[in-house]
Each structure stands twice: as C-alpha cells, then as structure tokens.
Amino acid sequence: MTEFNLGAFVIEIGITNPTVPTEESIGGKPIPAGVDPVPEPEITQEEANLVDDFVHFLAPPRALPLDGEGQRGRLIFGTIGCARCHTPSLTTGNNPVAALRFKQVAAYTDLLLHDMGPERGDICLGLASPSEFRTEPLMGLRLETKFMHDGAAKSIEQAIQFHGGEAAAIRQRFERLTPQERAAVLRFLGSL
C-alpha cells in the first residue's frame, strides 16, 4: 500500500515525496520551467508515513441496508455478470496488525486490469494498454457524483453505458433488462 500511496501522490495530485522525488511530465510532456517553484520533494518522509498510516487504518464505507428492490437488484447484478469484475467481497491478507488481518471487505472489485474498449482508452500507466483499467471498487459508490476514471459519466447508469471491451456483453444484458429490473440494479448500486 505504501508504494501505491507514494505513487498516487505524484501521479494523481503532483506532490513529490522522498520515494518519488520528481514529477516526470504533464500529459507526457516535460514540465515547463517555473511552473512548479516548490523545492522537491514537496513532502517529507514523516508526512508521507503519516498519510500512509491514515490510509492503512481508514475503514471502508458501509453499505446502506437493502430493501426488497435493492436485494433483487443485487441478485440481478450477479446474474447479468457484473460480479465477474466487481467481485462482491475480498479478504485481506496476512498482516502484522491483527485489526487488518484476514478481514472481509465488500469492495466490489477484483483489483485486476480489464479492457474497457477503445472508447475509454486515454491513459497508459505501467504495463497496461490505454484501454485497460483496474476494476474500480464500488464500495462508497453512493458518495460519488462523477464516475469512471475520468469523471465522464454523470450517473451510475451512464457509467454502466460507458462499459465496453470485455464488459460490452454485460452492459448489453443490463440494457435488455426491464425498466423495473434496471431500477432494482441501480437501487442496489445506490446502497453501496
């Protein structure tokens, strides 16, 4: 997790740290001189460690209780194939901290890369192709106002419609649901 957090500081918000002391580029182009006058690294190792501790012990958001329609939506979610990538539960690994060891987390992700189709392909990190993205966890979904990696989807339903590539057949199954079945799936997703 530490490596992820320190990388995210630079990649997501442009804050350098002792492990990643330089910003390489903006959109693949060198950073123009004078744009970032703050000396590198921008945070100390102690500050990075404090943020890392915070993230380690941050509890996942709890889902809201489901009514009958939401329970039906959860079943449909699994039946049409959404749970293939948005796996309902993961178990944490062995951890020296007992509170974090072998705990079930309703993350709704497999944390794997999946091809989302060329329509979404706009960034390329590590060994991923431009259309490959890590399955976004759905826990806390109800707290979001923009969806997909780039915030292009303004609703959960629009985010489903943006699924292509490996998820195209599952998106089509969602689109073939009755209006009541789609509403049930959205009710379930709105509880996460």
Side-chain angles (χ1 to χ4, degrees):
M1 175 155 323
T2 300
E3 182 180 343
F4 174 84
N5 291 335
L6 295 176
F9 262 121
V10 173
I11 293 168
E12 301 293 332
I13 54 179
I15 297 176
T16 57
N17 56 75
T19 302
V20 188
T22 60
E23 296 164 281
E24 301 298 324
S25 64
I26 298 174
K29 297 178 182 175
I31 296 173
V35 169
D36 183 8
V38 178
E40 310 297 351
E42 294 165 320
I43 62 170
T44 66
Q45 188 62 51
E46 180 183 4
E47 292 167 326
N49 291 345
L50 289 170
V51 170
D52 197 50
D53 287 345
F54 173 78
V55 172
H56 268 93
F57 294 103
L58 188 63
R62 293 183 184 216
L64 300 174
L66 290 175
D67 61 10
E69 183 184 26
Q71 290 177 9
R72 183 169 174 244
R74 180 175 53 197
L75 290 173
I76 296 168
F77 177 87
T79 302
I80 65 174
C82 301
R84 288 183 193 159
C85 300
H86 292 284
T87 307
S89 181
L90 298 176
T91 304
T92 63
N94 193 11
N95 193 296
V97 179
L100 302 176
R101 188 181 309 130
F102 304 118
K103 302 295 181 186
Q104 291 288 318
V105 180
Y108 287 89
T109 180
D110 61 9
L111 297 175
L112 299 176
L113 289 177
H114 293 280
D115 184 344
M116 291 292 289
E119 301 82 15
R120 304 269 35 103
D122 63 352
I123 60 173
C124 192
L125 293 174
L127 301 176
S129 74
S131 63
E132 287 182 315
F133 294 91
R134 177 187 54 85
T135 304
E136 188 65 25
L138 299 182
M139 63 181 177
L141 185 64
R142 73 181 184 284
L143 306 172
E144 301 297 326
T145 58
K146 294 181 183 173
F147 308 91
M148 305 300 286
H149 72 281
D150 57 359
K154 305 303 180 220
S155 69
I156 295 172
E157 187 163 12
Q158 188 177 36
I160 294 168
Q161 292 166 347
F162 283 176
H163 280 60
E166 291 177 45
I170 296 165
R171 181 199 68 233
Q172 291 166 357
R173 285 186 208 120
F174 175 80
E175 291 168 345
R176 287 193 301 264
L177 295 173
T178 67
Q180 295 81 11
E181 290 169 328
R182 281 195 304 275
V185 171
L186 295 172
R187 177 109 174 165
F188 161 65
L189 292 171
S191 75
L192 297 179

